[in-house]
């Protein structure tokens, strides 16, 4: 029924109607970061019925939250120092890192990196994984890239 969008500058989550794309509400999501250090990305993990939110860096933090954005746990993932996008697909978490030019496949039960793929995309800021295909959005290149299947990286 709705989609959630993070606004890092103002540390809030915007709830948008999936059909009309109109803003329904805003949820403040504050943590110890500064004004432009809010949530960089958000994804819904249907296996646990929770949201996973991530800050970008300095420090890079993940927050697992209930559907009303109450924090269940806060953690880091060893080996990931910067996040520009998140996607949950096929019971796996995929993390996009602009600075590392990589996509990481993460096992949600342990939050351990299973695989890493290198990207040749400048300023990769968005990620969708469907099946074995990843789609990456670049701000600087004003482009959307549909990659070859992840299994061939």
């Amino acid at each position: 029924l709705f989609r959630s969008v993070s606004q890092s500058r103002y540390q809030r989550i915007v709830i948008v109607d999936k059909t009309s794309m109109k803003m329904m509400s805003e949820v403040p999501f504050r943590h110890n970061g500064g004004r432009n250090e809010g949530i960089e990305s958000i994804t819904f993990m249907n296996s646990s019925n929770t949201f996973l939110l991530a800050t970008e860096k300095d420090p890079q933090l993940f927050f697992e939250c209930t559907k009303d954005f109450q924090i269940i746990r806060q953690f880091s993932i060893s080996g990931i120092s910067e996040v520009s996008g998140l996607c949950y697909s096929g019971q796996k978490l995929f993390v996009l890192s602009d600075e590392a030019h990589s996509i990481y496949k993460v096992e949600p039960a342990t939050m351990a990196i299973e695989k890493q793929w290198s990207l040749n995309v400048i300023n990769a800021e968005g990620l969708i994984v469907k099946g074995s295909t990843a789609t990456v959005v670049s701000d600087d290149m004003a482009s959307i890239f549909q990659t070859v299947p992840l299994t061939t990286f």
Side-chain angles (χ1 to χ4, degrees):
L1 234 172
F2 66 89
R3 295 272 188 225
S4 300
V5 179
S6 64
Q7 269 193 337
S8 61
R9 180 169 306 256
Y10 302 108
Q11 293 196 12
R12 62 185 171 201
I13 308 299
V14 178
I15 310 299
V16 178
D17 181 82
K18 181 165 107 170
T19 306
S20 69
M21 298 305 289
K22 291 185 179 180
M23 185 177 84
M24 294 169 52
S25 64
E26 294 179 332
V27 179
F29 191 87
R30 307 238 190 294
H31 64 91
N32 292 332
R35 182 169 184 223
N36 197 25
E37 297 173 353
I39 300 305
E40 180 72 10
S41 191
I42 183 171
T43 191
F44 184 70
M45 301 198 321
N46 58 357
S47 63
S48 59
N49 206 29
T50 59
F51 283 100
L52 188 65
L53 295 75
T55 61
E56 185 177 13
K57 60 182 179 180
D58 299 328
Q60 197 301 296
L61 298 170
F62 291 87
F63 300 91
E64 185 175 6
C65 299
T66 63
K67 281 189 167 183
D68 59 351
F69 300 103
Q70 300 302 308
I71 298 172
I72 297 169
R73 65 182 176 130
Q74 174 183 321
F75 57 93
S76 294
I77 296 177
S78 181
I80 299 176
S81 61
E82 183 268 344
V83 170
S84 57
L86 294 174
C87 182
Y88 183 80
S89 179
Q91 307 297 310
K92 298 292 179 180
L93 174 65
F94 294 87
V95 179
L96 177 65
S97 175
D98 166 40
E99 292 182 4
H101 303 284
S102 296
I103 297 174
Y104 300 92
K105 181 180 179 182
V106 176
E107 169 53 51
T110 61
M111 291 301 172
I113 296 171
E114 291 185 347
K115 191 160 184 165
Q116 177 181 353
W117 296 276
S118 294
L119 295 174
N120 189 20
V121 176
I122 299 168
N123 200 11
E125 290 291 326
L127 174 67
I128 298 170
V129 176
K130 188 168 184 175
S132 61
T133 302
T135 303
V136 177
V137 177
S138 167
D139 279 355
D140 287 355
M141 299 171 83
S143 299
I144 297 174
F145 297 90
Q146 185 127 6
T147 67
V148 295
L150 289 173
T151 53
T152 64
F153 275 70

